[in-house]
Amino acid sequence: MTLKPAVRIHRRIAEIGREAWDACATNPAYAGNPFVSYDFLDILEASGCAVERMGWGPQHLAVEDERGRVGAVAPLYLKSHSQGEYIFDHAWADAYERAGGRYYPKLLSAAPFTPATGPRLLGRPDVQPEEAWRMLLGGALTVCERYGASSLHVNFPTEAEWLWMGGQGLSLRQGQQYHWLNAGYGDFEDFLGALSSGRRKTIRRERRDAQAGLEILAMTGKDLTEDCWDAFFAFYMDTGSRKWGRPYLNRLFFSLLGERMADRVLLVMARRDGRYIAGALNLIGEDCLYGRNWGCIEDVPFLHFELCYYQAIEWAIGRGLARVEAGAQGQHKIARGYLPVPVRSAHYIADPALRGPVERFVEQERAAVDGEMEWLAEEYSPFRKG
């Protein structure tokens, strides 16, 4: 199906509509990524988390086909800051503004507040991918020029999108996360059998200590009540205050998430004497469990590892999921079976005076990240050699 040579800008995803958006976002090639679904992005807007007054001005792109139907879409935001992105460009902004430039506003294509790889240039299955990509990237660059934005950033795209954007002249950046990969394990004990004896003993001890006196509940679907969300929101806010930051999500977001995406949510909660004390929020993809947020109101040794890592692995094995993505950062995840993998971003810098230094920086950074991932996997992998 051929696309029309015109890109429309929408200030709310609701202007595009669920049917049209999800016709692109549910392309089988994307393996059911929940973070680019209509519901997830609309919940962020309807709750007031990703809107203009929060520094996230939606500028979503849509391209129609020759029959007047939406054939390709892209999430796009006009940003007045660099918060909630997990790809850090604060140093670029500081350097540019010290030199007399204006870094904000900038444009960002991403799932807000979500450091998870997924498609950013979405096309219906009957549309040629590169045609959709070309139209959407061209539209985003036009919006960048029209608004006088300093730059366009595409965070956590797929590897195929990333390589293609590099061919279009964007600067390619690489970072790393820690993911658990399912090697066909039958159960958690089967997974432990793949580890060194020392790591097996440590993990068993950590799980025993974390679970002592607690009830661990893995809840999804109709089990997600407002009482659960009240408790989890308190955990979430406590985590935000400990990190000296402002939490990005409000209480309404979680209610809407439970109302509209309950079957794609896994909430792992710890309860002592009938009172919730800690929890971990995950979203469920077609082949992946995505760890997102964690919090607690009682300090229990190893409970973070139990709820965020071990329970996630156990649940993923039970459902035959290919991997668990445990979010940003954290070398301590390696000892729990989560190994380093690359994550990516692509960047267009409008001013050549900044573009050159950024290109040199990301080239050096890619080489450093590759070397570090190889070293970490070799030196700290918990798996048995050979």
Side-chain angles (χ1 to χ4, degrees), residues 219 223-233 267 269 276:
M219 297 180 290
D223 295 331
L224 300 171
T225 66
E226 285 298 292
D227 288 343
C228 295
W229 290 123
D230 283 340
F232 183 77
F233 186 65
L267 190 61
M269 300 283 272
Y276 293 118

Side-chain angles (χ1 to χ4, degrees), residues 300-351:
V300 176
F302 310 118
L303 188 56
H304 175 252
F305 300 155
E306 173 65 20
L307 298 192
C308 295
Y309 307 146
Y310 304 143
Q311 287 286 330
I313 289 173
E314 199 159 35
W315 200 89
I317 292 173
R319 275 75 184 172
L321 299 183
R323 66 190 189 282
V324 178
E325 297 189 12
Q329 304 171 340
Q331 289 186 7
H332 61 278
K333 297 171 184 172
I334 298 177
R336 278 86 201 172
Y338 292 73
L339 296 181
V341 299
V343 292
R344 304 170 176 91
S345 59
H347 308 268
Y348 165 75
I349 309 295
D351 188 341

Side-chain angles (χ1 to χ4, degrees), residues 97-121:
E97 293 183 357
R98 284 199 307 270
R102 188 184 68 161
Y103 196 74
Y104 303 104
K106 67 176 190 178
L107 281 172
L108 172 70
S109 180
F113 321 120
T114 306
T117 294
R120 300 295 176 251
L121 308 173

Side-chain angles (χ1 to χ4, degrees), residues 35 86 112-116 281-283 290-294 325-328:
F35 302 112
Y86 300 94
F113 321 120
T114 306
L281 173 65
N282 307 265
L283 264 70
Y290 299 91
R292 285 304 305 115
N293 305 105
W294 137 272
E325 297 189 12

Side-chain angles (χ1 to χ4, degrees), residues 174-181 325 339-343 369 373:
Q174 183 170 289
Q176 63 178 302
Q177 288 182 351
Y178 303 92
H179 298 174
W180 175 85
L181 302 180
E325 297 189 12
L339 296 181
V341 299
V343 292
V369 168
M373 286 194 299

Side-chain angles (χ1 to χ4, degrees), residues 45-65:
E45 294 178 19
S47 62
C49 295
V51 293
E52 290 84 349
R53 65 185 178 85
M54 303 304 293
W56 291 80
Q59 307 287 325
H60 305 308
L61 305 182
V63 187
E64 294 180 351
D65 64 22

Side-chain angles (χ1 to χ4, degrees), residues 98 100 150 157 177 207 233 245 260-261 331 335 352 354 363 381:
R98 284 199 307 270
S150 71
Q177 288 182 351
R207 299 202 74 183
F233 186 65
R260 295 172 56 178
M261 297 184 67
Q331 289 186 7
L354 179 62
E363 183 177 355
S381 172

Side-chain angles (χ1 to χ4, degrees), residues 181-327:
L181 302 180
N182 190 348
Y185 303 116
D187 54 24
F188 195 86
E189 279 298 313
D190 193 18
F191 157 64
L192 288 182
L195 306 181
S196 67
S197 60
R199 288 312 310 165
R200 285 198 300 274
K201 293 176 183 177
T202 298
I203 290 175
R204 288 191 178 113
R205 175 177 55 82
E206 289 179 349
R207 299 202 74 183
R208 182 182 64 248
D209 292 351
Q211 294 178 12
L214 297 180
E215 182 183 10
I216 308 297
L217 304 171
M219 297 180 290
T220 188
K222 63 183 180 180
D223 295 331
L224 300 171
T225 66
E226 285 298 292
D227 288 343
C228 295
W229 290 123
D230 283 340
F232 183 77
F233 186 65
F235 307 152
Y236 172 74
M237 294 298 289
D238 182 77
T239 297
S241 66
R242 291 172 186 269
K243 293 183 177 179
W244 299 95
R246 183 182 67 182
Y248 303 123
L249 304 173
N250 58 29
R251 178 63 182 82
L252 178 58
F253 168 85
F254 294 102
S255 286
L256 292 176
L257 189 67
E259 177 184 318
R260 295 172 56 178
M261 297 184 67
D263 290 339
R264 304 191 77 174
V265 171
L266 173 67
L267 190 61
V268 182
M269 300 283 272
R271 191 161 61 185
R272 186 190 302 280
D273 298 327
R275 174 175 175 259
Y276 293 118
I277 66 164
L281 173 65
N282 307 265
L283 264 70
I284 305 165
E286 185 174 307
D287 65 350
C288 179
L289 185 66
Y290 299 91
R292 285 304 305 115
N293 305 105
W294 137 272
C296 65
I297 55 172
E298 182 180 321
D299 188 18
V300 176
F302 310 118
L303 188 56
H304 175 252
F305 300 155
E306 173 65 20
L307 298 192
C308 295
Y309 307 146
Y310 304 143
Q311 287 286 330
I313 289 173
E314 199 159 35
W315 200 89
I317 292 173
R319 275 75 184 172
L321 299 183
R323 66 190 189 282
V324 178
E325 297 189 12

